[in-house]
Amino acid sequence: MNEVVVGVDGSEESTRAARWAGREAGARGAVLRIVAAAGPWATPAPESGSSAAGSSWPRENTRAAAQAAQDAAAGLAVREELAVREEVVGERPVKALLTAAREAEMLVLGSRALGPVTGFVLGSVGLSVVAHATLPVVAVRDGGAGASAPVLVGVDVTHDCDPVLGFAYETARQHGVGVRVLHAWSVQQQYAYPSALPDPAAVDRAEAQAGRAVEEVLEPWRQRYPDVGTRVVLALGAAAPFLLDESSSAALLVTGRRTRGHPFPTRIGPVTHAALHHAACPVAVVPHR
């Protein structure tokens, strides 16, 4: 189904996620499905005497999120008004979100900032959802360089890049922006001893080889999306700091998560884990074999 799912719990973080999801659903012409998990495990109970006290608070959360999403999507140049579905599920949050998003295009979650420290915390629910999801999960926080900024995608050419690149290019096409492809490379594997000083000629050869490998992976996507501008950026060194540094000028950072073929995948990976906690823009995690 052409549907974007967002999980809400009444927090400011989930409201931001609902706004982002509303704009994304509007750009894609998709239905926005707002899901709240009902029960004492979902969020702290509202204080007695507050306007949200009582059994109606999950529904009030979804209504508020729906209004925020519709307001965010109202400024988009789309032909139809955003279609919104609200749902309160009597399940624990992780199961509720994964079940609701089983056939959706993506699942959107909010996150809380770390005060003066750049980064954010997903919490146990968010990390569990990312680790077990079989569809792209987007973690949203304040930040990003605006809707006209490019979509960043980190590429590891030693693994299947197609699901990650496909999500990045389609998202960029929907928003009329370009794709910036990031690839970190190393020359250490060419030396028997880590302390060996790299030969400048070997470094040049390794960089050229890395560039060719990336271009080979990108060629079918350039042909499939000829109207999406592509810029390749290579960096010598570790991938995580490279992606985090580039994320300050992006609308979205897309990374991958290997499922390893296990029926219950739980490993996120160090690079994606770093992106989720410290990127300066929303992060999409796309599972792949």
Side-chain angles (χ1 to χ4, degrees):
M1 178 182 295
N2 191 18
E3 187 175 73
V4 173
V5 175
V6 59
V8 301
D9 61 6
S11 65
E12 293 182 9
E13 295 80 19
S14 71
T15 300
R16 285 196 294 267
R19 293 193 190 101
W20 192 94
R23 289 191 294 267
E24 192 64 29
R28 293 173 177 260
V31 174
L32 178 63
R33 187 175 178 186
I34 300 175
V35 178
W41 54 78
T43 57
E47 295 181 3
S48 177
S50 72
S51 61
S55 60
S56 66
W57 67 266
R59 182 62 67 185
E60 293 180 2
N61 289 343
T62 62
R63 289 198 194 101
Q67 186 62 58
Q70 288 170 330
D71 291 345
L76 297 175
V78 295
R79 289 176 295 178
E80 298 181 1
E81 183 179 353
L82 177 67
V84 179
R85 294 173 55 192
E86 301 174 36
E87 185 175 352
V88 176
V89 183
E91 295 281 0
R92 293 184 180 275
V94 174
K95 183 176 180 180
L97 293 171
L98 293 176
T99 300
R102 188 172 295 162
E103 297 181 2
E105 289 189 38
M106 72 180 72
L107 172 59
V108 182
L109 304 173
S111 59
R112 61 183 176 87
L114 291 174
V117 181
T118 300
F120 61 84
V121 175
L122 274 177
S124 59
V125 170
L127 289 174
S128 294
V129 169
V130 171
H132 292 86
T134 57
L135 78 164
V137 179
V138 181
V140 177
R141 58 158 297 191
D142 281 342
S148 61
V151 172
L152 265 60
V153 54
V155 170
D156 181 353
V157 295
T158 63
H159 301 290
D160 178 18
C161 302
D162 284 349
V164 180
L165 287 170
F167 183 87
Y169 270 90
E170 181 59 25
T171 302
R173 185 187 71 83
Q174 296 287 358
H175 291 275
V177 299
V179 170
R180 190 187 308 164
V181 181
L182 310 178
H183 176 65
W185 57 279
S186 172
V187 295
Q188 292 302 320
Q189 65 269 24
Q190 300 185 22
Y191 295 90
Y193 301 97
S195 60
L197 292 176
D199 176 16
V203 173
D204 291 341
R205 287 195 299 271
E207 182 176 17
Q209 183 179 3
R212 289 192 296 271
V214 171
E215 289 297 335
E216 183 177 350
V217 168
L218 290 179
E219 182 57 28
W221 296 102
R222 289 183 188 271
Q223 295 181 8
R224 189 175 302 181
Y225 291 89
D227 296 330
V228 176
T230 302
R231 178 189 169 200
V232 177
V233 183
L234 305 178
L236 173 60
F242 175 39
L243 266 61
L244 296 179
D245 184 61
E246 292 284 332
S247 70
S248 62
S249 60
L252 178 70
L253 170 61
V254 183
T255 66
R257 179 183 65 81
R258 283 184 288 166
T259 61
R260 300 177 183 272
H262 195 280
F264 300 103
T266 57
R267 188 175 184 274
I268 294 177
V271 175
T272 294
H273 195 275
L276 284 169
H277 285 82
H278 299 290
C281 66
V283 177
V285 181
V286 181
H288 63 90
R289 296 275 180 185

mmCIF file with all atom_site columns, all heavy atoms in Angstrom, residues 127-147:
data_model
loop_
_atom_site.group_PDB
_atom_site.id
_atom_site.type_symbol
_atom_site.label_atom_id
_atom_site.label_alt_id
_atom_site.label_comp_id
_atom_site.label_asym_id
_atom_site.label_entity_id
_atom_site.label_seq_id
_atom_site.pdbx_PDB_ins_code
_atom_site.Cartn_x
_atom_site.Cartn_y
_atom_site.Cartn_z
_atom_site.occupancy
_atom_site.B_iso_or_equiv
_atom_site.pdbx_formal_charge
_atom_site.auth_seq_id
_atom_site.auth_comp_id
_atom_site.auth_asym_id
_atom_site.auth_atom_id
_atom_site.pdbx_PDB_model_num
ATOM 1   N N   . LEU A 1 127 ? 15.213 2.138  18.867 1.00 0.00 ? 127 LEU A N   1
ATOM 2   C CA  . LEU A 1 127 ? 16.304 1.258  18.460 1.00 0.00 ? 127 LEU A CA  1
ATOM 3   C C   . LEU A 1 127 ? 15.795 -0.146 18.148 1.00 0.00 ? 127 LEU A C   1
ATOM 4   O O   . LEU A 1 127 ? 16.260 -0.792 17.210 1.00 0.00 ? 127 LEU A O   1
ATOM 5   C CB  . LEU A 1 127 ? 17.368 1.205  19.553 1.00 0.00 ? 127 LEU A CB  1
ATOM 6   C CG  . LEU A 1 127 ? 18.188 2.473  19.731 1.00 0.00 ? 127 LEU A CG  1
ATOM 7   C CD1 . LEU A 1 127 ? 19.111 2.345  20.933 1.00 0.00 ? 127 LEU A CD1 1
ATOM 8   C CD2 . LEU A 1 127 ? 19.001 2.779  18.475 1.00 0.00 ? 127 LEU A CD2 1
ATOM 9   N N   . SER A 1 128 ? 14.831 -0.635 18.913 1.00 0.00 ? 128 SER A N   1
ATOM 10  C CA  . SER A 1 128 ? 14.265 -1.959 18.646 1.00 0.00 ? 128 SER A CA  1
ATOM 11  C C   . SER A 1 128 ? 13.516 -1.973 17.323 1.00 0.00 ? 128 SER A C   1
ATOM 12  O O   . SER A 1 128 ? 13.596 -2.947 16.562 1.00 0.00 ? 128 SER A O   1
ATOM 13  C CB  . SER A 1 128 ? 13.327 -2.377 19.785 1.00 0.00 ? 128 SER A CB  1
ATOM 14  O OG  . SER A 1 128 ? 14.036 -2.561 20.981 1.00 0.00 ? 128 SER A OG  1
ATOM 15  N N   . VAL A 1 129 ? 12.794 -0.903 17.038 1.00 0.00 ? 129 VAL A N   1
ATOM 16  C CA  . VAL A 1 129 ? 12.067 -0.822 15.767 1.00 0.00 ? 129 VAL A CA  1
ATOM 17  C C   . VAL A 1 129 ? 13.051 -0.824 14.596 1.00 0.00 ? 129 VAL A C   1
ATOM 18  O O   . VAL A 1 129 ? 12.882 -1.561 13.621 1.00 0.00 ? 129 VAL A O   1
ATOM 19  C CB  . VAL A 1 129 ? 11.175 0.429  15.724 1.00 0.00 ? 129 VAL A CB  1
ATOM 20  C CG1 . VAL A 1 129 ? 10.636 0.667  14.319 1.00 0.00 ? 129 VAL A CG1 1
ATOM 21  C CG2 . VAL A 1 129 ? 10.015 0.277  16.700 1.00 0.00 ? 129 VAL A CG2 1
ATOM 22  N N   . VAL A 1 130 ? 14.096 0.005  14.683 1.00 0.00 ? 130 VAL A N   1
ATOM 23  C CA  . VAL A 1 130 ? 15.099 0.060  13.611 1.00 0.00 ? 130 VAL A CA  1
ATOM 24  C C   . VAL A 1 130 ? 15.740 -1.301 13.415 1.00 0.00 ? 130 VAL A C   1
ATOM 25  O O   . VAL A 1 130 ? 15.951 -1.760 12.284 1.00 0.00 ? 130 VAL A O   1
ATOM 26  C CB  . VAL A 1 130 ? 16.166 1.122  13.935 1.00 0.00 ? 130 VAL A CB  1
ATOM 27  C CG1 . VAL A 1 130 ? 17.328 1.027  12.952 1.00 0.00 ? 130 VAL A CG1 1
ATOM 28  C CG2 . VAL A 1 130 ? 15.565 2.518  13.880 1.00 0.00 ? 130 VAL A CG2 1
ATOM 29  N N   . ALA A 1 131 ? 16.065 -1.976 14.505 1.00 0.00 ? 131 ALA A N   1
ATOM 30  C CA  . ALA A 1 131 ? 16.778 -3.248 14.425 1.00 0.00 ? 131 ALA A CA  1
ATOM 31  C C   . ALA A 1 131 ? 15.937 -4.375 13.841 1.00 0.00 ? 131 ALA A C   1
ATOM 32  O O   . ALA A 1 131 ? 16.478 -5.312 13.256 1.00 0.00 ? 131 ALA A O   1
ATOM 33  C CB  . ALA A 1 131 ? 17.281 -3.641 15.812 1.00 0.00 ? 131 ALA A CB  1
ATOM 34  N N   . HIS A 1 132 ? 14.619 -4.308 13.994 1.00 0.00 ? 132 HIS A N   1
ATOM 35  C CA  . HIS A 1 132 ? 13.762 -5.407 13.562 1.00 0.00 ? 132 HIS A CA  1
ATOM 36  C C   . HIS A 1 132 ? 12.933 -5.101 12.324 1.00 0.00 ? 132 HIS A C   1
ATOM 37  O O   . HIS A 1 132 ? 12.302 -6.006 11.765 1.00 0.00 ? 132 HIS A O   1
ATOM 38  C CB  . HIS A 1 132 ? 12.821 -5.821 14.692 1.00 0.00 ? 132 HIS A CB  1
ATOM 39  C CG  . HIS A 1 132 ? 13.509 -6.467 15.849 1.00 0.00 ? 132 HIS A CG  1
ATOM 40  N ND1 . HIS A 1 132 ? 14.066 -5.733 16.878 1.00 0.00 ? 132 HIS A ND1 1
ATOM 41  C CD2 . HIS A 1 132 ? 13.750 -7.765 16.140 1.00 0.00 ? 132 HIS A CD2 1
ATOM 42  C CE1 . HIS A 1 132 ? 14.617 -6.566 17.749 1.00 0.00 ? 132 HIS A CE1 1
ATOM 43  N NE2 . HIS A 1 132 ? 14.444 -7.800 17.332 1.00 0.00 ? 132 HIS A NE2 1
ATOM 44  N N   . ALA A 1 133 ? 12.913 -3.863 11.877 1.00 0.00 ? 133 ALA A N   1
ATOM 45  C CA  . ALA A 1 133 ? 12.045 -3.485 10.754 1.00 0.00 ? 133 ALA A CA  1
ATOM 46  C C   . ALA A 1 133 ? 12.539 -4.105 9.447  1.00 0.00 ? 133 ALA A C   1
ATOM 47  O O   . ALA A 1 133 ? 13.738 -4.271 9.230  1.00 0.00 ? 133 ALA A O   1
ATOM 48  C CB  . ALA A 1 133 ? 11.983 -1.972 10.626 1.00 0.00 ? 133 ALA A CB  1
ATOM 49  N N   . THR A 1 134 ? 11.596 -4.416 8.589  1.00 0.00 ? 134 THR A N   1
ATOM 50  C CA  . THR A 1 134 ? 11.916 -4.917 7.248  1.00 0.00 ? 134 THR A CA  1
ATOM 51  C C   . THR A 1 134 ? 11.641 -3.857 6.186  1.00 0.00 ? 134 THR A C   1
ATOM 52  O O   . THR A 1 134 ? 11.631 -4.164 5.001  1.00 0.00 ? 134 THR A O   1
ATOM 53  C CB  . THR A 1 134 ? 11.092 -6.181 6.945  1.00 0.00 ? 134 THR A CB  1
ATOM 54  O OG1 . THR A 1 134 ? 9.693  -5.875 7.075  1.00 0.00 ? 134 THR A OG1 1
ATOM 55  C CG2 . THR A 1 134 ? 11.444 -7.310 7.901  1.00 0.00 ? 134 THR A CG2 1
ATOM 56  N N   . LEU A 1 135 ? 11.420 -2.620 6.612  1.00 0.00 ? 135 LEU A N   1
ATOM 57  C CA  . LEU A 1 135 ? 11.182 -1.509 5.697  1.00 0.00 ? 135 LEU A CA  1
ATOM 58  C C   . LEU A 1 135 ? 12.022 -0.336 6.172  1.00 0.00 ? 135 LEU A C   1
ATOM 59  O O   . LEU A 1 135 ? 12.541 -0.345 7.291  1.00 0.00 ? 135 LEU A O   1
ATOM 60  C CB  . LEU A 1 135 ? 9.699  -1.130 5.671  1.00 0.00 ? 135 LEU A CB  1
ATOM 61  C CG  . LEU A 1 135 ? 9.162  -0.294 6.863  1.00 0.00 ? 135 LEU A CG  1
ATOM 62  C CD1 . LEU A 1 135 ? 7.823  0.310  6.505  1.00 0.00 ? 135 LEU A CD1 1
ATOM 63  C CD2 . LEU A 1 135 ? 9.034  -1.129 8.130  1.00 0.00 ? 135 LEU A CD2 1
ATOM 64  N N   . PRO A 1 136 ? 12.195 0.706  5.355  1.00 0.00 ? 136 PRO A N   1
ATOM 65  C CA  . PRO A 1 136 ? 12.957 1.871  5.792  1.00 0.00 ? 136 PRO A CA  1
ATOM 66  C C   . PRO A 1 136 ? 12.321 2.536  7.003  1.00 0.00 ? 136 PRO A C   1
ATOM 67  O O   . PRO A 1 136 ? 11.108 2.728  7.069  1.00 0.00 ? 136 PRO A O   1
ATOM 68  C CB  . PRO A 1 136 ? 12.916 2.799  4.573  1.00 0.00 ? 136 PRO A CB  1
ATOM 69  C CG  . PRO A 1 136 ? 12.712 1.882  3.403  1.00 0.00 ? 136 PRO A CG  1
ATOM 70  C CD  . PRO A 1 136 ? 11.824 0.796  3.915  1.00 0.00 ? 136 PRO A CD  1
ATOM 71  N N   . VAL A 1 137 ? 13.160 2.882  7.978  1.00 0.00 ? 137 VAL A N   1
ATOM 72  C CA  . VAL A 1 137 ? 12.729 3.606  9.176  1.00 0.00 ? 137 VAL A CA  1
ATOM 73  C C   . VAL A 1 137 ? 13.452 4.942  9.198  1.00 0.00 ? 137 VAL A C   1
ATOM 74  O O   . VAL A 1 137 ? 14.677 4.989  9.075  1.00 0.00 ? 137 VAL A O   1
ATOM 75  C CB  . VAL A 1 137 ? 13.033 2.819  10.459 1.00 0.00 ? 137 VAL A CB  1
ATOM 76  C CG1 . VAL A 1 137 ? 12.602 3.620  11.693 1.00 0.00 ? 137 VAL A CG1 1
ATOM 77  C CG2 . VAL A 1 137 ? 12.330 1.460  10.433 1.00 0.00 ? 137 VAL A CG2 1
ATOM 78  N N   . VAL A 1 138 ? 12.697 6.022  9.357  1.00 0.00 ? 138 VAL A N   1
ATOM 79  C CA  . VAL A 1 138 ? 13.280 7.363  9.387  1.00 0.00 ? 138 VAL A CA  1
ATOM 80  C C   . VAL A 1 138 ? 13.193 7.919  10.796 1.00 0.00 ? 138 VAL A C   1
ATOM 81  O O   . VAL A 1 138 ? 12.103 7.988  11.379 1.00 0.00 ? 138 VAL A O   1
ATOM 82  C CB  . VAL A 1 138 ? 12.556 8.313  8.407  1.00 0.00 ? 138 VAL A CB  1
ATOM 83  C CG1 . VAL A 1 138 ? 13.214 9.699  8.436  1.00 0.00 ? 138 VAL A CG1 1
ATOM 84  C CG2 . VAL A 1 138 ? 12.584 7.743  6.992  1.00 0.00 ? 138 VAL A CG2 1
ATOM 85  N N   . ALA A 1 139 ? 14.335 8.292  11.353 1.00 0.00 ? 139 ALA A N   1
ATOM 86  C CA  . ALA A 1 139 ? 14.397 8.930  12.668 1.00 0.00 ? 139 ALA A CA  1
ATOM 87  C C   . ALA A 1 139 ? 14.488 10.432 12.467 1.00 0.00 ? 139 ALA A C   1
ATOM 88  O O   . ALA A 1 139 ? 15.410 10.922 11.812 1.00 0.00 ? 139 ALA A O   1
ATOM 89  C CB  . ALA A 1 139 ? 15.606 8.421  13.446 1.00 0.00 ? 139 ALA A CB  1
ATOM 90  N N   . VAL A 1 140 ? 13.532 11.167 13.001 1.00 0.00 ? 140 VAL A N   1
ATOM 91  C CA  . VAL A 1 140 ? 13.405 12.607 12.752 1.00 0.00 ? 140 VAL A CA  1
ATOM 92  C C   . VAL A 1 140 ? 13.752 13.383 14.010 1.00 0.00 ? 140 VAL A C   1
ATOM 93  O O   . VAL A 1 140 ? 13.343 13.035 15.111 1.00 0.00 ? 140 VAL A O   1
ATOM 94  C CB  . VAL A 1 140 ? 11.968 12.965 12.321 1.00 0.00 ? 140 VAL A CB  1
ATOM 95  C CG1 . VAL A 1 140 ? 11.812 14.467 12.145 1.00 0.00 ? 140 VAL A CG1 1
ATOM 96  C CG2 . VAL A 1 140 ? 11.618 12.239 11.031 1.00 0.00 ? 140 VAL A CG2 1
ATOM 97  N N   . ARG A 1 141 ? 14.485 14.449 13.830 1.00 0.00 ? 141 ARG A N   1
ATOM 98  C CA  . ARG A 1 141 ? 14.802 15.378 14.901 1.00 0.00 ? 141 ARG A CA  1
ATOM 99  C C   . ARG A 1 141 ? 14.877 16.780 14.307 1.00 0.00 ? 141 ARG A C   1
ATOM 100 O O   . ARG A 1 141 ? 14.803 16.950 13.096 1.00 0.00 ? 141 ARG A O   1
ATOM 101 C CB  . ARG A 1 141 ? 16.143 15.030 15.554 1.00 0.00 ? 141 ARG A CB  1
ATOM 102 C CG  . ARG A 1 141 ? 17.279 15.039 14.562 1.00 0.00 ? 141 ARG A CG  1
ATOM 103 C CD  . ARG A 1 141 ? 18.628 15.229 15.238 1.00 0.00 ? 141 ARG A CD  1
ATOM 104 N NE  . ARG A 1 141 ? 18.695 16.519 15.894 1.00 0.00 ? 141 ARG A NE  1
ATOM 105 C CZ  . ARG A 1 141 ? 19.822 17.019 16.376 1.00 0.00 ? 141 ARG A CZ  1
ATOM 106 N NH1 . ARG A 1 141 ? 20.944 16.347 16.285 1.00 0.00 ? 141 ARG A NH1 1
ATOM 107 N NH2 . ARG A 1 141 ? 19.835 18.210 16.947 1.00 0.00 ? 141 ARG A NH2 1
ATOM 108 N N   . ASP A 1 142 ? 15.029 17.781 15.171 1.00 0.00 ? 142 ASP A N   1
ATOM 109 C CA  . ASP A 1 142 ? 15.281 19.123 14.666 1.00 0.00 ? 142 ASP A CA  1
ATOM 110 C C   . ASP A 1 142 ? 16.594 19.124 13.903 1.00 0.00 ? 142 ASP A C   1
ATOM 111 O O   . ASP A 1 142 ? 17.537 18.420 14.247 1.00 0.00 ? 142 ASP A O   1
ATOM 112 C CB  . ASP A 1 142 ? 15.379 20.122 15.823 1.00 0.00 ? 142 ASP A CB  1
ATOM 113 C CG  . ASP A 1 142 ? 14.005 20.509 16.339 1.00 0.00 ? 142 ASP A CG  1
ATOM 114 O OD1 . ASP A 1 142 ? 13.025 20.299 15.613 1.00 0.00 ? 142 ASP A OD1 1
ATOM 115 O OD2 . ASP A 1 142 ? 13.925 21.018 17.474 1.00 0.00 ? 142 ASP A OD2 1
ATOM 116 N N   . GLY A 1 143 ? 16.664 19.911 12.870 1.00 0.00 ? 143 GLY A N   1
ATOM 117 C CA  . GLY A 1 143 ? 17.903 19.988 12.104 1.00 0.00 ? 143 GLY A CA  1
ATOM 118 C C   . GLY A 1 143 ? 17.648 19.728 10.646 1.00 0.00 ? 143 GLY A C   1
ATOM 119 O O   . GLY A 1 143 ? 16.517 19.635 10.183 1.00 0.00 ? 143 GLY A O   1
ATOM 120 N N   . GLY A 1 144 ? 18.707 19.564 9.899  1.00 0.00 ? 144 GLY A N   1
ATOM 121 C CA  . GLY A 1 144 ? 18.587 19.429 8.464  1.00 0.00 ? 144 GLY A CA  1
ATOM 122 C C   . GLY A 1 144 ? 18.741 20.778 7.805  1.00 0.00 ? 144 GLY A C   1
ATOM 123 O O   . GLY A 1 144 ? 18.499 21.822 8.410  1.00 0.00 ? 144 GLY A O   1
ATOM 124 N N   . ALA A 1 145 ? 19.153 20.746 6.567  1.00 0.00 ? 145 ALA A N   1
ATOM 125 C CA  . ALA A 1 145 ? 19.456 21.984 5.854  1.00 0.00 ? 145 ALA A CA  1
ATOM 126 C C   . ALA A 1 145 ? 18.276 22.506 5.044  1.00 0.00 ? 145 ALA A C   1
ATOM 127 O O   . ALA A 1 145 ? 18.434 23.399 4.233  1.00 0.00 ? 145 ALA A O   1
ATOM 128 C CB  . ALA A 1 145 ? 20.663 21.765 4.941  1.00 0.00 ? 145 ALA A CB  1
ATOM 129 N N   . GLY A 1 146 ? 17.085 21.945 5.240  1.00 0.00 ? 146 GLY A N   1
ATOM 130 C CA  . GLY A 1 146 ? 15.917 22.424 4.519  1.00 0.00 ? 146 GLY A CA  1
ATOM 131 C C   . GLY A 1 146 ? 15.500 21.494 3.407  1.00 0.00 ? 146 GLY A C   1
ATOM 132 O O   . GLY A 1 146 ? 16.255 20.615 2.964  1.00 0.00 ? 146 GLY A O   1
ATOM 133 N N   . ALA A 1 147 ? 14.260 21.703 2.936  1.00 0.00 ? 147 ALA A N   1
ATOM 134 C CA  . ALA A 1 147 ? 13.680 20.793 1.952  1.00 0.00 ? 147 ALA A CA  1
ATOM 135 C C   . ALA A 1 147 ? 14.400 20.819 0.611  1.00 0.00 ? 147 ALA A C   1
ATOM 136 O O   . ALA A 1 147 ? 14.324 19.867 -0.158 1.00 0.00 ? 147 ALA A O   1
ATOM 137 C CB  . ALA A 1 147 ? 12.198 21.135 1.747  1.00 0.00 ? 147 ALA A CB  1
#
